[in-house]
Amino acid sequence: MRFSFLGGAEEVGKSAFLLEDEKRLLLEYGIKLHQKTEYPLPFQGTIDYVILSHAHLDHSGFVPAVYEHCSPPCIATYPTQALSTMLVKDSMKVQRLKRQKVNFSGISFRKMLNNLVPLAYGQNFYLSPNMSLTFTDAGHIPGATISTIQVGKRKVVYTGDFKLGETWLHKGAECVQESDILLIESTYSKREHPDRKSLEERLYNEIRSVLERGGNALLPCFAVGRSQEVIQMLRYFDEDMKIFFDGMAKTASQIILDYPSYLKNAKYLADCLSSAEWVNSQGQRAKALSKPSVIISPAGMLEGGPSVKYALNLNEESEIILTGFQVPGTNGKLLLDEHKIRVNGILHDVRVPVEYLDFSAHASREDLFKFVEKASPEKIFCVHGETCQDFAGELRAKGYDAVAPKIGESFVV
Ligand SMILES: [Zn+2]
Ligand SMILES: [Zn+2]
């Protein structure tokens, strides 16, 4: 079989991997969100199946473009289908607002919707007489999967984005035992995550001191996953804290609650969400800023969404707390490094303190090595990260046949 790396190689963004054997499978077709959107390489010929691991745009954002050329089934869990539909639709809107061309038509987007095929965790899907696909829980965001593809006698495992540790939303992924070929994310191969429980306490204490001095604690969070996790975390510490909930996190929450079996505790999440004030108007935004409160709002990297407006209108006592990975080139990274954000091409200073707490939904360094050990593959491709080369080097030093492909490279295995 042949693997070609069309994107997501030595980078976080535009994941796109082509697996060719009896059938041609496209694992992900994502975009890279920057000031200017980047796309994966085009593929030649037709695709038999698109396999989508989860809804994040770096995996799903360019899937509609496949339907400019052919009409393959796109296999994903139900939550991934609904969440990626929401995120792709929104990214089309954001690109138009930025006066960027959307590189696929509305017709292709609808064609994608018509070709979505659901696959639940643990079920077997025959792609051809010799090839089958199974999804298992990746513990990353609701509906996220680790894909196991049986090709004849060989077992290919693609981790997507995964996390072994337990969070408020998920019990955590299970390692896959015994594989032949492994495609593994490498996002945090260089470092361990801080202890989750003490990080949660730190977040709560930080917020409490902001509220006590009369400010707003602005938490720009990813709409899917982090927003829902943070609200559960805060309610555990404090049932009375005033929390405003804004932007696409609201729609994402409604979708997530539609699929309770993909959550650790849907009832608790529903209770926490209903205890917050959902912001639906400019008047409510002004109200949120007028008194000490917590504001949970996308976008997580301040690329659009209400979090940008909030960031520019906070009082001096306020603070911005980033809780997720900030991709270089995004407003979130600019805010962390230079205390600025860019809106419509104009740089604005942000004068309040900015804190970053590493609440990652990705595998830690320890998780990555543990996963590799259990999977004990003959061949490893390290993808999705800025340290893929180092990770592959470390794995080779342990005796594995590991490589960090470059964009455009192909391997016959
Ligand atoms: Zn992801
Ligand atoms: Zn990703």
Side-chain angles (χ1 to χ4, degrees):
M1 75 189 91
R2 177 194 291 271
F3 286 89
S4 302
F5 296 85
L6 309 178
E10 298 190 297
E11 65 183 339
V12 177
K14 57 181 159 79
S15 282
F17 318 114
L18 185 64
L19 191 173
E20 294 168 279
D21 193 77
E22 210 168 71
K23 294 284 177 190
R24 302 183 87 216
L25 318 179
L26 185 62
L27 310 178
E28 332 275 39
Y29 213 40
I31 55 175
K32 189 166 186 173
L33 281 176
H34 266 284
Q35 291 304 320
K36 207 169 165 357
T37 310
E38 287 179 36
Y39 302 96
L41 295 178
F43 53 84
Q44 307 297 323
T46 57
I47 298 294
D48 295 311
Y49 292 98
V50 176
I51 297 169
L52 185 55
S53 73
H54 68 288
H56 281 151
L57 288 170
D58 58 318
H59 300 253
S60 69
F62 209 39
V63 172
V66 173
Y67 296 86
E68 300 269 311
H69 312 283
C70 46
S71 303
C74 175
I75 308 172
T77 60
Y78 275 122
T80 296
Q81 294 186 5
L83 292 167
S84 57
T85 302
M86 175 194 76
L87 290 174
V88 172
K89 227 189 244 175
D90 181 70
S91 81
M92 290 161 77
K93 195 176 91 188
V94 170
Q95 288 184 68
R96 285 195 192 107
L97 283 175
K98 286 183 178 172
R99 300 217 170 82
Q100 291 179 12
K101 193 172 165 286
V102 178
N103 276 4
F104 52 81
S105 66
I107 294 172
S108 299
F109 176 62
R110 281 191 294 279
K111 238 168 130 182
M112 175 193 87
L113 299 183
N114 289 333
N115 281 283
L116 291 169
V117 173
L119 183 63
Y121 295 151
Q123 285 180 353
N124 209 20
F125 186 100
Y126 276 92
L127 304 161
S128 76
N130 252 325
M131 293 174 87
S132 66
L133 167 71
T134 314
F135 282 158
T136 46
D137 190 353
H140 173 62
I141 59 167
T145 63
I146 294 174
S147 308
T148 299
I149 305 163
Q150 196 72 42
V151 185
K153 287 199 164 64
R154 298 213 280 173
K155 186 165 155 185
V156 179
V157 175
Y158 166 54
T159 64
D161 296 355
F162 76 102
K163 185 175 182 71
L164 297 182
E166 189 170 351
T167 63
W168 282 96
L169 272 181
H170 303 287
K171 290 187 186 123
E174 301 261 322
C175 289
V176 179
Q177 309 284 337
E178 302 308 316
S179 69
D180 295 289
I181 298 150
L182 174 66
L183 272 79
I184 187 166
E185 70 140 308
S186 321
T187 323
Y188 287 96
S189 76
K190 279 285 205 200
R191 62 186 167 100
E192 293 300 346
H193 299 315
D195 173 68
R196 196 87 174 182
K197 280 286 156 236
S198 30
L199 200 64
E200 288 175 4
E201 272 167 35
R202 230 181 103 195
L203 173 68
Y204 174 63
N205 290 332
E206 192 75 36
I207 288 176
R208 215 178 47 181
S209 66
V210 174
L211 300 184
E212 276 166 8
R213 64 180 189 244
N216 296 109
L218 172 62
L219 276 66
C221 288
F222 304 116
V224 179
R226 188 55 39 79
S227 296
Q228 294 76 23
E229 200 192 342
V230 160
I231 199 163
Q232 293 182 93
M233 201 184 290
L234 296 182
R235 275 293 173 249
Y236 166 78
F237 286 109
D238 191 333
E239 288 179 357
D240 302 318
M241 183 184 266
K242 185 72 188 164
I243 301 176
F244 288 90
F245 203 68
D246 201 349
M248 213 168 39
K250 293 175 293 176
T251 319
S253 299
Q254 281 161 335
I255 294 174
I256 287 169
L257 287 175
D258 281 343
Y259 302 98
S261 66
Y262 288 82
L263 299 168
K264 193 169 83 177
N265 188 344
K267 164 87 173 66
Y268 182 61
L269 175 61
D271 290 348
C272 292
L273 285 167
S274 62
S275 75
E277 183 166 340
W278 288 35
V279 178
N280 293 307
S281 67
Q282 289 303 338
Q284 266 178 301
R285 275 181 197 134
K287 182 184 158 197
L289 289 167
S290 69
K291 54 188 174 191
S293 68
V294 181
I295 302 168
I296 298 174
S297 173
M301 299 186 208
L302 295 108
E303 289 289 311
S307 63
V308 178
K309 273 197 189 135
Y310 282 122
L312 296 175
N313 287 291
L314 294 168
N315 71 21
E316 284 175 1
E317 313 303 330
S318 300
E319 185 166 318
I320 301 174
I321 306 171
L322 298 166
T323 58
F325 183 73
Q326 304 296 316
V327 172
T330 61
N331 259 334
K333 187 78 173 128
L334 190 65
L335 179 65
L336 259 183
D337 294 348
E338 299 174 36
H339 272 244
K340 291 180 198 306
I341 51 176
R342 190 178 279 114
V343 186
N344 297 328
I346 299 163
L347 275 178
H348 298 262
D349 287 320
V350 175
R351 293 195 175 84
V352 300
V354 179
E355 180 82 51
Y356 167 59
L357 298 176
D358 177 12
F359 281 102
S360 179
H362 289 268
S364 65
R365 179 180 159 80
E366 193 188 340
D367 286 355
L368 291 174
F369 283 97
K370 187 173 165 194
F371 198 96
V372 169
E373 199 180 301
K374 299 269 185 217
S376 70
E378 278 169 24
K379 180 88 190 172
I380 306 173
F381 295 109
C382 302
V383 295
H384 195 292
E386 276 146 26
T387 57
C388 296
Q389 287 295 354
D390 293 342
F391 184 34
E394 284 190 70
L395 290 171
R396 281 196 297 274
K398 285 177 178 282
Y400 293 101
D401 177 3
V403 59
K406 295 192 187 315
I407 293 179
E409 266 192 305
S410 280
F411 298 80
V412 176
V413 290

